[in-house]
Amino acid sequence: MKAGSPFAGPIAVISAGAALVCSTFALFGSILKDLLPQMNGADRTVNFVALGTLVVFLSLMPFIRARSRVVTQRLWAAVGILCCVGAIFLYFSFDEMALKYTFRYPNGVPETAQRLVIRGEYHAKGKELLAGRDVASAVAALGGVDTVFGFSLLWEKESRDYIINRFVRYYAAIVFLITTALFTVVIVVWRNLKDKEIKHTD
């Protein structure tokens, strides 16, 4: 496609945006893979939020292109910075929650053989059964994860489900903010190149 084509700019942004969303998939599938404890739907959360963010931005492309002289690089840069700050803030909040509501199981095996398990809030009987032990030791003594979950020995199922939903919401927000921050980089670069093209034409 020729550089002067009216579709060159949008297609470049779409291609770059798609590449960045693929980078988000790769990021959460490798470096950030262990950010969320093992649970059903974690991969779907990343895919849905990242793709949803891409669709939203592509839907806004006509508006962005039409208002390109009004929507400045500084505005998009500010959006990107705010998203980065928001992602960092949520990450630390997420990490604090993970330290409180997860445990590695089983004990006595290499960490690579352990899995990160989400727990709920202890009920009264659960606090008694805990008896001053760490949660992994208590779970092992009570018959294992399946027994503890099945008979709600330490916490109620509803309590654990609530914590899991909180994890998913935090995770989705972090994916959204990172994907948005990456996409704003594309907008800023595109706008910068467009300004240079206009100056060169003038």
Side-chain angles (χ1 to χ4, degrees):
M1 185 171 291
K2 297 181 180 179
S5 170
F7 300 104
I11 288 178
V13 175
I14 291 171
S15 300
L20 285 175
V21 170
C22 289
S23 298
T24 302
F25 292 160
L27 193 64
F28 281 88
S30 56
I31 300 174
L32 300 179
K33 185 177 181 180
D34 295 330
L35 181 62
L36 188 69
Q38 292 182 2
M39 54 181 289
N40 295 330
D43 292 339
R44 290 197 299 273
T45 298
V46 175
N47 296 343
F48 177 79
V49 176
L51 284 175
T53 304
L54 177 62
V55 169
V56 169
F57 272 100
L58 294 184
S59 300
L60 291 174
M61 277 304 301
F63 172 79
I64 294 172
R65 185 169 174 78
R67 307 275 294 180
S68 60
R69 295 185 180 181
V70 178
V71 180
T72 65
Q73 296 177 53
R74 292 182 180 180
L75 175 60
W76 284 111
V79 171
I81 291 172
L82 287 174
C83 287
C84 285
V85 172
I88 292 171
F89 175 79
L90 283 180
Y91 170 78
F92 284 112
S93 298
F94 184 97
D95 191 53
E96 182 179 349
M97 187 171 67
L99 288 174
K100 181 177 181 180
Y101 290 108
T102 65
F103 61 96
R104 291 196 173 276
Y105 187 85
N107 282 339
V109 299
E111 187 172 313
T112 53
Q114 295 177 328
R115 59 191 177 107
L116 202 59
V117 183
I118 301 174
R119 70 166 178 84
E121 293 281 2
Y122 299 113
H123 48 59
K125 184 63 177 180
K127 291 179 181 178
E128 293 179 11
L129 292 174
L130 195 63
R133 297 171 292 189
D134 63 86
V135 59
S137 298
V139 169
L142 292 170
V145 171
D146 292 339
T147 301
V148 170
F149 286 176
F151 292 96
S152 301
L153 297 179
L154 295 175
W155 48 76
E156 298 293 341
K157 179 181 181 299
E158 292 75 16
S159 174
R160 184 170 181 269
D161 289 343
Y162 172 75
I163 298 300
I164 289 175
N165 288 332
R166 285 185 62 190
F167 271 108
V168 172
R169 288 195 294 269
Y170 267 87
Y171 198 62
I174 291 172
V175 175
F176 171 77
L177 290 172
I178 290 178
T179 306
T180 302
L182 290 174
F183 206 97
T184 57
V185 172
V186 176
I187 299 297
V188 171
V189 171
W190 174 50
R191 173 65 184 177
N192 184 53
L193 292 175
K194 186 174 181 181
D195 286 348
K196 289 182 178 179
E197 182 182 346
I198 292 174
K199 290 179 181 178
H200 180 71
T201 303
D202 294 340

